[in-house]
Amino acid sequence: MTSSPSGADDRPGVQGRLHLPLPSMWPVWIVPAVLAFFQVMGTLGAQRGDTQGPPWVRQNLSGEDVAPHIQPLDGLGLALLLAGPALLLLRRRHPAVTLAGVGTVTVLFMLRAYAWGPGLLSLAVAIVAPVVAGQRLFAWAGTFAVMGGYFAVSAVIGVPFEQRGRADQFFPVEEPSLAGLSFAVAWAVVPLISGELIRMRAQRAAASARTRAEAERRQASEERLRMARELHDVLAHNISMINVQAGVALHLIDQDPHQARTALAAIKEASKEALTEMRSVIGVLRSQGESAPRAPTAGLDRLDELLGRARSAGLTVDAEITGERRPLPAGTDLAAFRIVQESLTNVSRHAGPGPVTARVRIAYGDREISVRVDDDGRGVSLLDDHPGGSGINGMRERAAALGGTFSAGPRPEGGFGVRATLPIDEERPG
């Protein structure tokens, strides 16, 4: 349960959506393996079909269907069908080499006049790879170079369509036609544009990730600054008390030694508390112009006031305190109070429509204090895509700075739970 200035919720795992990994995260062999199987089986199926080829090559000049000849799939054809997917294993590290290799294999396959089938799928993937990798100019130029090379060779060695696939020629490819050229251009543009869209989406995702990372760093910095300011408040109070008590001791040391001794004892305790808090934070930052407070910051002695505000906001709060309630070190007292405060704030904002009950449990132990806040809310909406709050990070840093433990997450029975255990040094009461 978190609260942040923006009201965002950073509860991890609450009603999380199932996201399938992107293709870029798959093992590199997955796509080639699927394409190899599909190309071989699809080409064999197309070879057994009654009518082969698209309409622009099945019809003669009179518009009559002509049954074209095809080259039966032999060992060379099978090797070409498998070579394309095999070359795709290089697509992530060497996308340009992959496009050149797959393009050559595809041109050889088409020149052999095998059955039309899914043999071009490897080329489509090979076209997308350099576009996504940022080699856009090579991808566009290479794609049309492969297509131009095929039509140039077929224009030189091509035979009339009726003679396509003759066994007396090694490359019995048909002569190019305007319809075939138009279809090839349209087909080539599809993977090129698809690659551009994938690339732009990846760039937007990377920019969004950088923005989120920067926001998290900024929130962490702001949280540390806020914690340092609170520590400054504690130290300012203790130092002010030391100054006052030292003045009293100097004034009464001759007239009332007993009262001076009491003042000196207070100075000892306050200085010990101040030194302890100084060790918990390396540096303390505070903006210029801010006046030092004259009272200590919040602690568990204000817990009833905090719970009353939560109840007045419409939240049902059930509180229980076990163990011997006693003064705590200032840092521990403040951390425990802030953890309860941020947890209740987040219940009000993100637990969903009421009635919602929050259960606050504080247990005083011999050497530690346990803080537990549970709610029975339904959690954050599935449409919440901005879990960028800083509350959980802040609570975790508070506990870690004191050497304690912290955990937060969904409860098996529903709702959300926060657990924190903070150590108590009995030799330095607050």
Side-chain angles (χ1 to χ4, degrees):
M1 287 177 278
T2 67
S3 64
S4 64
S6 62
D9 192 341
D10 62 353
R11 298 195 270 185
V14 179
Q15 298 185 7
R17 292 173 293 177
L18 177 62
H19 293 284
L20 294 177
L22 297 174
S24 59
M25 304 298 294
W26 296 354
V28 70
W29 57 268
I30 291 291
V31 172
V34 173
L35 289 180
F37 175 81
F38 191 65
Q39 287 188 169
V40 172
M41 300 307 296
T43 303
L44 290 174
Q47 183 174 272
R48 291 193 295 268
D50 294 333
T51 304
Q52 301 290 340
W56 62 83
V57 294
R58 285 207 315 266
Q59 297 176 352
N60 59 17
L61 295 179
S62 301
E64 299 176 349
D65 281 350
V66 178
H69 299 281
I70 60 172
Q71 183 75 12
L73 189 63
D74 51 14
L76 177 59
L78 184 62
L80 292 174
L81 287 176
L82 296 176
L87 289 170
L88 290 178
L89 294 172
L90 305 175
R91 69 188 186 279
R92 293 180 181 173
R93 292 188 176 183
H94 308 287
V97 175
T98 301
L99 176 57
V102 176
T104 301
V105 168
T106 304
V107 168
L108 291 175
F109 183 84
M110 298 298 293
L111 291 177
R112 285 284 292 165
Y114 293 113
W116 287 286
L120 297 177
L121 292 179
S122 292
L123 181 58
V125 175
I127 292 173
V128 171
V131 177
V132 174
Q135 302 177 13
R136 303 168 58 203
L137 180 60
F138 180 86
W140 284 82
T143 298
F144 286 102
V146 169
M147 186 175 60
Y150 167 75
F151 281 105
V153 174
S154 62
V156 174
I157 67 173
V159 298
F161 181 71
E162 294 79 1
Q163 301 179 27
R164 181 184 190 274
R166 294 188 312 180
D168 58 341
Q169 290 189 3
F170 188 76
F171 291 119
V173 63
E174 71 277 6
E175 297 173 337
S177 63
L178 181 61
L181 179 60
S182 301
F183 173 80
V185 172
W187 179 91
V189 169
V190 172
L192 287 170
I193 294 180
S194 299
E196 294 286 358
L197 295 176
I198 294 173
R199 183 186 61 83
M200 289 188 293
R201 181 177 180 181
Q203 289 179 338
R204 287 196 299 268
S208 178
R210 289 192 297 270
T211 301
R212 287 195 301 270
E214 180 62 29
E216 291 173 358
R217 287 192 295 270
R218 183 174 62 253
Q219 289 169 351
S221 178
E222 291 173 353
E223 183 65 24
R224 293 188 186 98
L225 177 59
R226 186 170 67 88
M227 293 172 63
R229 288 175 174 174
E230 290 176 348
L231 177 60
H232 180 280
D233 297 344
V234 174
L235 295 178
H237 169 72
N238 287 327
I239 298 300
S240 298
M241 189 183 71
I242 290 173
N243 182 65
V244 171
Q245 294 293 339
V248 171
L250 288 174
H251 180 72
L252 299 175
I253 192 168
D254 294 327
Q255 302 175 8
D256 191 349
H258 179 72
Q259 186 65 28
R261 182 181 296 274
T262 302
L264 291 174
I267 291 174
K268 178 182 178 181
E269 292 299 324
S271 61
K272 185 177 181 180
E273 178 69 26
L275 290 174
T276 301
E277 295 301 329
M278 282 293 292
R279 296 189 187 101
S280 66
V281 175
I282 296 176
V284 176
L285 302 176
R286 193 173 186 88
S287 300
Q288 295 181 355
E290 295 186 15
S291 60
R294 300 184 180 273
T297 53
L300 289 180
D301 57 334
R302 295 176 54 190
L303 180 63
D304 293 337
E305 177 184 345
L306 174 62
L307 299 180
R309 290 199 303 267
R311 293 187 180 105
S312 65
L315 189 66
T316 301
V317 182
D318 177 19
E320 177 183 358
I321 299 177
T322 60
E324 180 186 358
R325 190 169 183 175
R326 59 192 185 277
L328 301 173
T332 302
D333 200 19
L334 175 63
F337 180 85
R338 292 304 187 198
I339 289 173
V340 175
Q341 182 184 48
E342 292 182 11
S343 299
L344 291 178
T345 300
N346 197 69
V347 173
S348 300
R349 291 181 176 180
H350 304 294
V356 177
T357 299
R359 287 175 276 284
V360 179
R361 301 290 184 267
I362 298 178
Y364 287 79
D366 293 336
R367 296 184 176 275
E368 62 185 20
I369 181 172
S370 175
V371 178
R372 176 175 175 178
V373 182
D374 298 325
D375 72 82
D376 56 4
R378 69 179 186 181
V380 70
S381 170
L382 287 173
L383 298 178
D384 186 357
D385 292 330
H386 304 284
S390 62
I392 280 184
N393 289 333
M395 290 187 282
R396 182 177 290 109
E397 288 189 9
R398 289 181 185 276
L402 297 171
T405 61
F406 177 84
S407 64
R411 301 192 305 151
E413 60 270 33
F416 200 81
V418 171
R419 311 284 187 275
T421 302
L422 308 175
I424 299 176
D425 186 352
E426 291 294 339
E427 296 182 356
R428 52 178 185 91

